Amino acid sequence: MHAGGRAVQYGWLPQSCTQKGAFTHASSGIYTGRCQRWVENCRRADLEDKTPDQLNKHYRLCAKHFETSMICRSSPYRTVLRDNAVPTIFDLTSHLNNPHSRHRKRIKELSEEEIRTLKQQKIDEAFEQEKMNQESVDNNIQNLATEEGGDDPVEDDVPLTQEERENKDYLKSLFEILILMGKQNIPLDGHSADELPEGLFTPDNFQALLEFRINSGDEVLRKRFETTAVNLAYCSEAQQKQMLEICESCVREEMLREVRDSHFFSIITDEVVNLAGEEHLPILVRFVDDSHNLREEFIGFLPYETDPEVLAVKFHTAITEKWGLNMEYCRGQAYVVSSGFASKMKTVATRLLEKYPQAVYTLASSCALNMWLAKSVPVLGVSVALGTIEEVCQFFQQSPQLLADLDNVISVLFQGHELKERGNELKELVRSHWTSRHDTFEIVVDLLQALVLCLDGINDASISSVAGRAHILSSTLADFDFVVIVVIVKNILSFTRAFGKNLQGQTSDVFFAASSLTAVLHSLNEVMENIEVYHEFWFEEATDLAVKLDLPIKLPGKLCRAQQGNANSEITPENYYKEALSIPAVEHIIQELKDIFSEQHLRALKCLSLVPSVMGQLKFNTSEEHHADMYKNDLPNPDTLSAELHCWRIKWKHRGKDIELPTTIYEALHLPDIKYFPNVYALLKVLCILPIMKVENEKFEVGRRRLKAYFKNTLTEQRSINLALLNINVDIKHDLDLMVDTYIKLYPEKAEFQEDFPPSSSSEPTEET
């Protein structure tokens, strides 16, 4: 037995029953009987004469002495015992073999004679105890509670002093302010000292909110700071950082608790971002919650390392040791990265696969296959072209007038019945985030002439900053190097366009796409075998487009400068781009497809035939057993899988005429009778969390959108790892008491209520407390 700890300790009686007045009499019915059982099971004869109220008030029992079925985990911070809970797990002999416990006091097992003697002594002492005041009683109980017996030390839950209560209330106010700032995306620093005149003190945002609470009537804060100089910083930056880290940790832990309860999960990273001048990887986790909903939540940032091997180690350490996830339950990994980072993240994926073979390396549903392939092409020119395309998209979408100007140019260029239809389609596309589509390069090629003409028109009509940027973009687009890159990449990716589109389609589309991979690879291998012919056609298309833009057909500028003075150089633009772009791009895409659609990944996608609509398209002639072997250890009853799958097929094959077949995993997981198919349910859960499967319900995919919104709406110098997590996970509940207790435990020297706040009459800013 322990003193009452927090979060994982339990009272002598179930907390759900400990309402005021429930145990005022020692003979209070069922609870008295349960107290006796608790005392007997603990073998604490010295406590047999205690009333239920005394036991519940002054004694605690550790959670490890209860069966897990006796614990109702309705909250991560306030665990409650079931009404009929009785401690049954005790080890009264382990200390005999423990050499470190020889100096600890032990409570021996009493004989019946010793018990009777002890009871008589207690009766004799009862009269004297009643004369003692409440303070003496509390002290005696505390002394008794510090005795240790077996593995169950007993202590008193010492009440807080007035100063301790006020200090906790003070810390709670600080945490409330920090959480508010995180949720509202308010930076801690409101002013730069370099921008203020010398001698002028202006509080930062945190102190300003704190002062506002004081002025609004917060008595705890007022008493805390009533003697403090008005120009004194109430809470140091170091203390703010420590408290923010605790806020971040508690919010993340609340989320990860649900992930652990779900067991299986997948890890996804988004594009590298800049935080406080350093590059970080945003990490998201995908899992199925208790309500059978697929969720994708943001869990934190990892500092980016240039060495891929070091990055792999730190990535694994952060997930397993820092955040406490068991990678044995990881069933998928996907990395959405900007150009230049792809090869390093592939190293991370490879290292994780070596340790955890079931953590399948897949494509993320949020990224079109063709864009993912283009970003990973190891050709610098492709990376530059992708950056230019993104800049052009952002440039025109910054103003309705710019979009209107582009519409007018498109209308002029796309005349005639057939061209007009494509022109109208392009007008709609430029108003969306078209740079993330599977046909992005096709759109760029079709729009290129219109983009250049429109940018040139803006440049001629204005001398503003917009015109300056338009001039730079126009010069970049109207370059033969850019033209030939987008044309060749467009043609190579045309072989994977339909395949990639299906991967982002319905569940049945994904299932049948897995079967078409062989054909896609066959086509690309044929291209590779006949690259001379294919490249000739691609280069001819590029030169035709360049002629429309009145561009010279030439080698890249860097290569031209290197060739100056070399009259014997026989390198032609066509041969150069074949060797530098076409061949490496085709080879790379073939290999990437093989890596990301490994045999294990394809077997997993074949299991999508469990979805009833896919079964129907296959005429219920499916064989999931063979493919489901890879998840055999994840099933609750693997021996009955074959029979269960047979019943699952029969259920849908002979359904009523008015019953429609569920078309997605999401619909299948929410079927009322899914509980009668435990193996099917387990398989569907694992398939659902594969990163390639899209989140059907958009409200459970807010993590990524909020992540992008945070970086779009926050200046680089004001970004904070801790505040970002609070802002992105704004709907995750938090426990202020837990945050305060954690802070007091981690920083006891800084949590003292007495601090030195010397009054100051000087108008000069003083040092932070």
Side-chain angles (χ1 to χ4, degrees), residues 354-597:
E354 291 171 356
K355 292 177 67 70
Y356 310 101
Q358 287 195 297
V360 179
Y361 177 43
T362 80
L363 175 73
S365 61
S366 61
C367 183
L369 175 65
N370 275 1
M371 289 306 297
W372 189 88
L373 292 172
K375 288 179 178 180
S376 65
V377 171
V379 176
L380 180 60
V382 177
S383 301
V384 174
L386 285 168
T388 301
I389 292 169
E390 189 67 40
E391 287 184 27
V392 169
C393 176
Q394 294 175 357
F395 175 81
F396 282 100
Q397 290 186 353
Q398 68 178 324
S399 164
Q401 183 58 48
L402 292 174
L403 285 172
D405 293 342
L406 182 58
D407 283 351
N408 294 333
V409 177
I410 293 174
S411 298
V412 172
L413 293 177
F414 289 81
Q415 296 182 358
H417 178 69
E418 294 182 1
L419 291 178
K420 187 175 181 180
E421 185 177 349
R422 177 59 174 166
N424 291 334
E425 185 179 347
L426 291 173
K427 291 178 184 179
E428 294 295 326
L429 286 173
V430 295
R431 284 166 169 76
S432 65
H433 193 60
W434 53 274
T435 57
S436 62
R437 290 170 57 94
H438 58 276
D439 57 349
T440 292
F441 283 89
E442 190 174 70
I443 295 171
V444 172
V445 172
D446 288 349
L447 272 177
L448 189 55
Q449 189 177 6
L451 292 172
V452 172
L453 290 175
C454 186
L455 290 169
D456 285 343
I458 295 171
N459 186 30
D460 293 339
S462 174
I463 58 173
S464 65
S465 59
V466 174
R469 190 164 176 217
H471 174 71
I472 294 173
L473 290 175
S474 174
S475 301
T476 305
L477 295 180
D479 184 274
F480 183 70
D481 187 57
F482 178 84
V483 173
V484 74
I485 286 174
V486 295
V487 170
I488 289 178
V489 173
K490 179 207 75 168
N491 281 284
I492 296 174
L493 295 179
S494 66
F495 293 95
T496 58
R497 189 180 305 142
F499 175 67
K501 184 178 181 180
N502 287 334
L503 291 176
Q504 291 187 311
Q506 297 297 320
T507 306
S508 58
D509 297 329
V510 179
F511 173 82
F512 290 110
S515 303
S516 68
L517 178 64
T518 303
V520 174
L521 289 173
H522 177 77
S523 298
L524 287 170
N525 282 317
E526 183 183 355
V527 171
M528 195 65 239
E529 292 172 1
N530 301 279
I531 192 64
E532 297 278 352
V533 176
Y534 279 96
H535 177 73
E536 182 180 349
F537 282 109
W538 300 341
F539 192 78
E540 183 180 350
E541 180 183 349
T543 55
D544 290 343
L545 181 56
V547 169
K548 289 183 180 179
L549 296 171
D550 197 22
L551 303 178
I553 312 302
K554 61 182 181 64
L555 292 168
K558 182 178 180 179
L559 188 62
C560 288
R561 290 187 293 271
Q563 293 294 328
Q564 286 181 358
N566 187 0
N568 296 324
S569 175
E570 297 180 356
I571 299 178
T572 64
E574 182 175 350
N575 287 335
Y576 169 78
Y577 284 107
K578 181 186 71 176
E579 299 296 331
L581 178 60
S582 294
I583 292 177
V586 174
E587 289 178 340
H588 173 79
I589 288 172
I590 290 174
Q591 188 58 49
E592 286 298 299
L593 288 175
K594 291 179 179 178
D595 291 341
I596 204 167
F597 294 101

Side-chain angles (χ1 to χ4, degrees), residues 13 41 163 199 224 228 250 267 270 279 290 319 323 348 367 374 413 424 426 444 581 618 622 640 669 672 696 702 740:
L13 284 172
N41 287 5
E163 286 183 342
R224 176 84 178 200
T228 306
C250 289
I267 294 294
D270 208 278
E279 292 179 330
D290 292 340
I319 294 173
W323 297 335
V348 175
C367 183
L413 293 177
N424 291 334
L426 291 173
V444 172
L581 178 60
L618 296 172
T622 59
T640 64
L669 286 174
E696 297 292 341
V702 296
V740 170

Side-chain angles (χ1 to χ4, degrees), residues 684-744:
L684 290 174
K685 276 184 64 177
V686 175
L687 293 173
C688 191
I689 63 174
L690 290 177
I692 199 170
M693 302 304 299
K694 67 178 181 180
V695 181
E696 297 292 341
N697 194 329
E698 291 185 356
K699 72 177 182 178
F700 297 117
E701 198 184 19
V702 296
R704 187 184 303 276
R705 292 200 295 272
R706 287 178 179 170
L707 175 68
K708 293 188 180 299
Y710 175 82
F711 284 99
K712 181 180 179 181
N713 300 327
T714 310
L715 297 175
T716 303
E717 60 272 15
Q718 293 181 343
R719 294 171 182 171
S720 161
I721 293 175
N722 315 113
L723 290 175
L725 187 130
L726 295 177
N727 180 260
I728 296 166
N729 297 296
V730 64
D731 53 347
I732 299 295
K733 58 185 177 181
H734 55 271
D735 190 319
L736 286 173
D737 290 325
L738 179 64
M739 293 178 183
V740 170
D741 293 341
T742 304
Y743 182 80
I744 292 174

Side-chain angles (χ1 to χ4, degrees), residues 60-101:
R60 294 290 182 269
L61 200 59
C62 182
K64 65 183 180 181
H65 299 300
F66 294 87
E67 299 286 348
T68 55
S69 60
M70 293 292 100
I71 299 173
C72 179
R73 300 188 183 278
S74 58
S75 166
Y77 307 121
R78 293 293 179 263
T79 307
V80 179
L81 292 175
R82 300 189 185 280
D83 291 343
N84 61 344
V86 174
T88 56
I89 304 175
F90 293 94
D91 182 1
L92 301 175
T93 61
S94 61
H95 64 283
L96 298 177
N97 298 322
N98 185 1
H100 300 290
S101 64

